[in-house]
Amino acid sequence: MEFLGFLARRLAWSLLVLVGLSVVIFVIARVVPGDPARMALGPRASAEQVTELQEKLGLNLPLYQQYGRFIGGLAQGELGQSLLTERSVNLDIRTTFPATLELVMATVIIAFLFGVPLGVAAARWKDSWPDNLVRAFAIVAAVMPTFFIALLLQVLAGYVLQILPTTGRLPTGTEFEADITGLLIVDGLLKGQLHVVFEAMRHLLLPALALSLATMGQMARITRASMIDVSRQDYIEAARAFGVPDRVRLFKYQLRPAFVPPLTIMGLEFASLIGGAFVVELIFSWPGMAAYGIRAITQKDLNAIMGVVMVSGLFFVLVNLLIDVLVGLVDPRIRIRGRRA
Amino acid sequence: MTSLLSVQGLSVSFTTYGRTAEVLKGVSLDVPQGAQVALVGESGSGKSVTMKAIMGLLPQPPARIHAGRIMFDGRDLLTLPERERVALRGTAMSMVFQDPMSSLNPVWTIEDQLSTILKYADRRLGRDRDRRGRRARVIEVLSQVRMRDPERVAGSFPIMLSGGMRQRVLIAMALLSEPRLLIADEPGTALDVTTQAQILKLLRDLVEAQGLALLMITHNLGVVRETSNYVYVMNKGEIVEEGPTADLFAAPRQQYTRDLIAAVPRLTGRVAT
């Protein structure tokens, strides 16, 4: 019951955040110079044609009326028509979002699976070589631009070693309809087509690795700092005084209280991951939403911009809601304080 | 009477950033079987280092023990193999921690923490006890420290308990494996005086009832009077005076001891108006 109340409160807040987001993006997209109708029709279109399209899109209306139309459509789940693809934005997003989602999820899993243990190892052997190695890696990973890592991996694994595919989500000519969740790995499993799952994973590996390195370094750094912080607590010393073995102390007594900061940062990383995904999507010809969104921005494809931003925003908000729930599970203090508040 | 614990000429130095400081200079003290001994001194006198050296918790480096013996039950702890040393920790000798707010792990329940300690203590001692047996023992020690509702306390997270209750949990933790020596590091200092008095009374009752030896480490002479029959006074890394508690209070020989006694606030006399 308490949990449902917490969820309801958080959902209400999230809704508010999304409405705020929609206003900001709506205004920004329209204030930026450049006429969408002119850009869509090209330089050789006549003034009449442009005016006609402007009227059709409602661009001649006052801003608040345009926003009203947009929000009205959004409430019905209708994002309008894309000028660029001349299809409904809903359809565009439905086809591109799963690709980005699959990429981002794989990225997060890789970043977490390696980043957290690296941080634990660094904290365990603080100031000795594993620690120095992890810290150096974290800095290098943070400093190298994603596009550079992506190209490096592509050249190395794709052309030099030729062990992994470097473009797309599946080999060309693969007959497979991902019509359940849109996620190839999940749908492949659901339909029992293991070769599709295997191929999808092979295609996913390089782009996800390229996208995950910076986050992985970040996770390792935060985990390390948090573990060291906890290691200085009296309760760790107490556990030592009572003869609780190193291994148990490290994972049970130290890692769990230290787990909240990396978890929280992970939630925030999602925003930059979706942004960073566009570089990776372009380089690996990944048919994702991030690349679609960037194209929409350069072309001032207003409906598509709004659609991409709103979907990313919703995704971000939901992920962070999930993370809040996880944080409460990991640390009872947060749960209990929340109950009192 | 033979001593359960006997520290003989213990010298410890700390080296940090290339500078070495002598922290203990030939400290000797005895805790006979079943006796209640206090080690008193102000902050920085070396009493915590003495305690950590006895428990084997000194981080080395920066600390270095360069002289002395710590005899426990006829064996020198300083020359004991690490395995055997660890086996004693929390079992034959255990510690009551000072700060009830920070000495319990915030993310595990009391039962979880107590039975984890018990599980590994059992393993070291080669005792066989299953999960249910451990739970029973946890509930048992929680009742020994006079918890009204041990079952509920066992299922609680530290944040759900008051400071006094948490301090009792810390005492229960020390009692889990039937130790013979209890080292108490100023228990209750973090609590209000009424609660602290209750905690000290509880501790004394338990020690007497179970025939344990107690080494009470404190800066508070009031606590010394309450909980011990023999006192060592420590100053700047040395034992400056020792004696039966009553004698020491009646006729302190050292100026330092007299200063410490004078520093205890009196609850008698005229009230300033």
Side-chain angles (χ1 to χ4, degrees):
Chain A
M1 229 21 238
E2 273 162 23
F3 180 69
L4 288 181
F6 162 80
L7 221 55
R9 265 200 313 276
R10 283 301 313 263
L11 277 173
W13 272 111
S14 308
L15 202 65
L16 214 63
V17 168
L18 288 175
V19 170
L21 178 71
S22 74
V23 173
V24 171
I25 294 300
F26 189 84
V27 172
I28 289 178
R30 262 147 245 252
V31 165
V32 173
D35 179 1
R38 169 58 75 185
M39 286 172 105
L41 294 172
R44 269 180 287 181
S46 68
E48 290 80 45
Q49 283 173 308
V50 172
T51 318
E52 195 186 334
L53 185 58
Q54 277 177 340
E55 274 166 20
K56 190 179 154 217
L57 294 171
L59 292 174
N60 54 342
L61 297 172
L63 216 53
Y64 70 91
Q65 280 187 20
Q66 289 187 37
Y67 184 73
R69 280 169 63 156
F70 164 73
I71 267 294
L74 190 65
Q76 296 165 14
E78 192 48 64
L79 292 164
Q81 196 81 8
S82 161
L83 289 176
L84 194 65
T85 61
E86 296 180 332
R87 297 193 307 176
S88 96
V89 174
N90 287 44
L91 185 64
D92 282 347
I93 287 181
R94 206 179 309 140
T95 48
T96 56
F97 181 66
T100 297
L101 182 65
E102 194 160 47
L103 176 62
V104 167
M105 287 204 323
T107 301
V108 165
I109 290 170
I110 293 174
F112 223 84
L113 237 47
F114 290 91
V116 171
L118 283 178
V120 171
R124 169 69 181 76
W125 290 287
K126 185 174 171 300
D127 296 326
S128 61
W129 68 266
D131 185 22
N132 294 335
L133 209 66
V134 169
R135 279 192 287 179
F137 162 75
I139 291 173
V140 170
V143 168
M144 282 209 289
T146 308
F147 75 85
F148 179 71
I149 299 174
L151 287 173
L152 198 70
L153 285 176
Q154 201 169 42
V155 170
L156 214 70
Y159 296 112
V160 179
L161 301 172
Q162 303 218 342
I163 42 173
L164 285 169
T166 55
T167 53
R169 299 175 75 192
L170 281 177
T172 35
T174 308
E175 280 189 29
F176 182 72
E177 199 69 42
D179 48 11
I180 305 174
T181 60
L183 305 174
L184 292 177
I185 294 177
V186 176
D187 286 5
L189 282 174
L190 288 176
K191 292 183 173 178
Q193 301 205 29
L194 291 182
H195 67 282
V196 171
V197 176
F198 178 70
E199 278 302 329
M201 283 181 160
R202 267 169 52 87
H203 280 74
L204 196 52
L205 198 57
L206 285 184
L209 198 60
L211 191 53
S212 71
L213 279 185
T215 306
M216 193 190 293
Q218 178 84 330
M219 285 296 102
R221 275 185 38 219
I222 307 262
T223 307
R224 173 184 181 273
S226 181
M227 285 290 282
I228 289 172
D229 200 36
V230 171
S231 75
R232 300 198 178 113
Q233 298 288 325
D234 287 348
Y235 54 82
I236 299 297
E237 169 100 339
R240 204 158 91 86
F242 282 104
V244 175
D246 281 359
R247 178 181 42 84
V248 179
R249 235 170 33 227
L250 193 66
F251 291 105
K252 179 165 180 169
Y253 280 61
Q254 211 176 324
L255 182 56
R256 185 164 162 191
F259 209 58
V260 171
L263 211 53
T264 316
I265 298 291
M266 191 73 253
L268 302 176
E269 282 283 306
F270 265 90
S272 63
L273 280 183
I274 293 176
F278 116 85
V279 177
V280 173
E281 288 179 2
L282 283 186
I283 291 175
F284 289 95
S285 315
W286 196 261
M289 191 183 73
Y292 173 74
I294 295 296
R295 270 196 309 262
I297 288 171
T298 53
Q299 291 292 318
K300 278 210 84 172
D301 187 349
L302 293 177
N303 287 333
I305 294 173
M306 293 305 291
V308 168
V309 169
M310 292 315 291
V311 169
S312 320
L314 182 67
F315 178 57
F316 182 74
V317 160
L318 287 180
V319 164
N320 277 281
L321 185 64
L322 176 72
I323 283 187
D324 279 349
V325 173
L326 289 178
V327 163
L329 285 180
V330 169
D331 194 335
R333 283 173 295 182
I334 292 163
R335 212 160 60 222
I336 292 159
R337 268 186 220 129
R339 206 180 292 164
R340 281 184 195 147
Chain B
M1 189 166 13
T2 57
S3 281
L4 178 62
L5 174 76
S6 172
V7 178
Q8 298 161 5
L10 186 66
S11 293
V12 175
S13 64
F14 272 74
T15 305
T16 40
Y17 301 107
R19 290 174 56 182
T20 303
E22 296 286 316
V23 179
L24 294 187
K25 300 162 200 162
V27 169
S28 298
L29 58 86
D30 279 282
V31 183
Q33 199 94 42
Q36 290 145 40
V37 175
L39 178 61
V40 67
E42 54 190 331
S43 307
S45 61
K47 53 191 197 309
S48 294
V49 174
T50 309
M51 170 192 78
K52 285 189 176 178
I54 296 169
M55 287 301 291
L57 292 176
L58 272 186
Q60 302 185 57
R64 203 170 77 82
I65 298 175
H66 37 100
R69 297 197 298 174
I70 300 175
M71 305 298 292
F72 181 79
D73 210 8
R75 290 190 294 175
D76 185 359
L77 296 183
L78 296 180
T79 57
L80 218 55
E82 183 62 18
R83 257 185 76 87
E84 290 177 47
R85 183 79 194 264
V86 172
L88 292 174
R89 205 180 286 161
T91 50
M93 54 163 74
S94 71
M95 223 176 119
V96 179
F97 272 78
Q98 174 181 22
D99 188 349
M101 298 302 161
S102 62
S103 301
L104 290 168
N105 196 311
V107 302
W108 296 99
T109 63
I110 301 302
E111 181 182 346
D112 238 318
Q113 299 185 45
L114 264 57
S115 38
T116 303
I117 288 169
L118 195 55
K119 178 173 161 189
Y120 294 102
D122 281 349
R123 197 171 286 180
R124 287 198 299 277
L125 298 177
R127 268 190 312 225
D128 196 34
R129 186 170 5 212
D130 62 358
R131 180 184 281 267
R132 201 176 304 154
R134 285 198 292 272
R135 182 179 159 77
R137 175 66 186 155
V138 167
I139 301 290
E140 187 186 6
V141 286
L142 285 176
S143 349
Q144 277 175 12
V145 295
R146 300 184 199 148
M147 285 292 191
R148 238 172 274 135
D149 191 350
E151 310 261 341
R152 194 181 60 78
V153 171
S156 303
F157 290 100
I159 196 180
M160 300 156 88
L161 304 177
S162 70
M165 287 168 98
R166 289 191 221 181
Q167 185 73 64
R168 279 171 215 226
V169 170
L170 289 175
I171 297 176
M173 201 179 256
L175 293 176
L176 272 174
S177 292
E178 291 131 5
R180 294 162 63 200
L181 172 67
L182 213 56
I183 300 177
D185 179 18
E186 312 207 18
T189 315
L191 305 170
D192 64 86
V193 281
T194 325
T195 317
Q196 185 182 18
Q198 286 172 1
I199 293 291
L200 292 175
K201 169 134 185 8
L202 170 69
L203 199 55
R204 201 180 52 200
D205 291 352
L206 285 169
V207 164
E208 277 167 9
Q210 306 192 4
L212 309 180
L214 173 70
L215 177 59
M216 171 69 75
I217 305 219
T218 181
H219 64 272
N220 185 338
L221 281 171
V223 171
V224 173
R225 213 196 295 242
E226 287 297 312
T227 55
S228 67
N229 14 60
Y230 200 90
V231 198
Y232 291 88
V233 180
M234 197 165 188
N235 185 26
K236 293 180 183 156
E238 287 173 286
I239 303 287
V240 292
E241 185 165 359
E242 62 175 283
T245 309
D247 299 356
L248 190 116
F249 274 93
R253 287 191 303 271
Q254 296 282 330
Q255 184 56 41
Y256 182 71
T257 313
R258 282 197 284 274
D259 291 345
L260 276 183
I261 293 172
V264 178
R266 291 175 189 285
L267 292 178
T268 55
R270 257 203 300 270
V271 177
T273 49

